[in-house]
Amino acid sequence: MIKTQLIDLLKLNEEDLKKTVIIKQHPQYEQIFFMLLNQKANTFTHKFVREIHDALTIVEQHQGHTALITTSLHPTVFSGGLDLNVTGNMNIFDRNNFVLEFIRLLGRLLRYPIPTIALVNGHAVAGGCMFMFAHDWRIARAEPKKAHCSLPEIEIGMYLPPGMNAVCQCKLTPNVHRDLCLLARRYDLGSEGLQNQIVDGLATEDKIIEAAIQKALSVSKYGQDKENFTKLKEEMYRDAIKACFSRQMAPGNAYDLGLPRL
């Protein structure tokens, strides 16, 4: 239903729907942009990460009031995280570089010069969970069992490089962060998201797009002074941003310390 609503609202055509990342302005409110993730399970590859970067560049060039809503056209998944089928076939050097590139995408979102809202219409897993956290606000499906978030790395023998961990840490309470990372706890956003401060709002499937639009309208004025908005976020998330962009925090350096490899 959400995909159909977005197709109708944004007048998406066949050419639009062939793209894996779609950028559209709201037809009535030109200050609101939608970034639609349109890849199978929205798992991250080099190409997908770079297409998201290109989309972010387009939006941040908009003058005046601006806000970005990110969501998925997949019926049940917001993002499934890094594409392990791709990373599993990489050599260690390429895999480390790809992980670092993804972490820098998270860092870019943390300091992005306009307000960002994740419209979480499905499950957010591993890197998809981190991608959700990197947004300023999160609005999720209110119906139980329709959207959960989880960090299953401990169950598959992976660890979180510093940048990834820092993004989660700066957006979560200590107990939620602990249980996500160390217990791979799956939080149902509809029934547990608000009380655990994982999301900022809930709405049913038929109302979630409008809820995200109303939030975007209320915060878009802060996207006018993009330089100051960036400075404020850089100070708020100083340590996490440093972890995302410092080469000393890259996975390869962590491996030199004897930590397990991805």
Side-chain angles (χ1 to χ4, degrees), residues 189-237:
L189 298 180
S191 61
E192 302 176 295
L194 269 180
Q195 69 190 55
N196 287 288
Q197 301 176 49
I198 299 171
V199 299
D200 303 281
L202 297 170
T204 54
E205 184 179 25
D206 58 329
K207 296 179 180 178
I208 192 169
I209 294 174
E210 183 59 27
I213 290 169
Q214 291 304 314
K215 183 64 179 180
L217 285 172
S218 72
V219 299
S220 63
K221 62 183 179 181
Y222 303 112
Q224 177 164 338
D225 188 345
K226 295 174 175 58
E227 181 179 357
N228 190 52
F229 199 71
T230 300
K231 288 178 179 178
L232 287 167
K233 291 171 76 171
E234 286 176 337
E235 186 59 32
M236 286 176 63
Y237 306 126

Side-chain angles (χ1 to χ4, degrees), residues 16 19 21-26 30-36 49-69 105 108-109 112-114 116 223 226:
D16 291 325
K19 301 173 183 176
V21 178
I22 305 166
I23 282 290
K24 287 287 183 178
Q25 278 179 281
H26 191 285
E30 65 174 17
Q31 69 268 45
I32 298 177
F33 287 78
F34 282 82
M35 180 166 66
L36 310 176
V49 167
R50 290 168 186 175
E51 288 173 340
I52 292 172
H53 273 299
D54 290 342
L56 293 175
T57 298
I58 291 170
V59 176
E60 70 182 3
Q61 292 173 349
H62 182 258
Q63 299 299 309
H65 295 191
T66 318
L68 173 67
I69 298 171
L105 173 63
R108 181 178 184 182
L109 275 171
Y112 196 58
I114 66 172
T116 57
K226 295 174 175 58

Side-chain angles (χ1 to χ4, degrees), residues 124 132 147 258:
M132 174 187 76

Side-chain angles (χ1 to χ4, degrees), residues 3 16-22 35-52 70-86 98 102 105 121 123 131:
K3 180 176 180 179
D16 291 325
L17 294 172
K18 291 178 182 177
K19 301 173 183 176
T20 51
V21 178
I22 305 166
M35 180 166 66
L36 310 176
L37 308 181
N38 190 35
Q39 181 162 271
K40 184 178 180 181
N42 295 318
T43 51
F44 294 97
T45 62
H46 271 301
K47 181 175 181 291
F48 197 45
V49 167
R50 290 168 186 175
E51 288 173 340
I52 292 172
T70 301
T71 192
S72 164
L73 292 184
H74 192 285
T76 61
V77 177
F78 178 74
S79 172
L82 303 188
D83 191 329
L84 299 183
N85 291 325
V86 173
F98 170 60
F102 173 71
L105 173 63
N121 58 320
H123 307 312
F131 184 71

Side-chain angles (χ1 to χ4, degrees), residues 75 103 158 215:
I103 292 171
M158 294 183 176
K215 183 64 179 180

